[in-house]
Amino acid sequence: MPGPLVTAVDTVQCVHMGRAMPTVPNPRVTAMGQPTVLMTSPYVIAGCPFATASPQPCVTAQFMTGSTRVLSNGQPLILADSQAITVPNGVPLIIIPGQTRALGQ
């Protein structure tokens, strides 16, 4: 299903509200002047307050789904409805897209 392309400056958070940032933005494809993010780029998470029996905040995340028709360097891009999982907790990321003009599928 088509959706907005995620850029490096879009708000992405773990479900505990820790801020997730891509480690490698993709400057070859931009949306609204901002670099997009490839599905293969890991995210680092800062400020995750989650703690269980032993404190284990979300540290990194990896996207498992991305665009199927729009590619950059042969790699899928992250869309607003893409799914990711965090390490070590295994919870999803929440994407709040900042731009809605550039769509991918």
Side-chain angles (χ1 to χ4, degrees):
M1 181 161 197
L5 296 175
V6 172
T7 67
V9 297
D10 285 348
T11 302
V12 181
Q13 301 173 324
C14 69
V15 295
H16 314 113
M17 299 305 160
R19 177 91 165 123
M21 297 294 295
T23 57
V24 185
N26 177 34
R28 292 187 60 98
V29 176
T30 60
M32 302 292 291
Q34 298 298 325
T36 56
V37 184
L38 296 173
M39 188 180 86
T40 55
S41 175
Y43 271 67
V44 292
I45 301 170
C48 177
F50 181 71
T52 57
S54 62
Q56 290 188 329
C58 297
V59 178
T60 63
Q62 183 63 53
F63 277 88
M64 299 173 298
T65 62
S67 62
T68 55
R69 292 187 171 187
V70 178
L71 306 174
S72 175
N73 294 329
Q75 299 293 318
L77 297 168
I78 297 175
L79 303 176
D81 63 350
S82 294
Q83 302 297 310
I85 191 163
T86 63
V87 174
N89 297 319
V91 297
L93 288 183
I94 300 168
I95 301 172
I96 303 167
Q99 68 84 28
T100 55
R101 293 178 108 185
L103 303 177
Q105 184 171 3

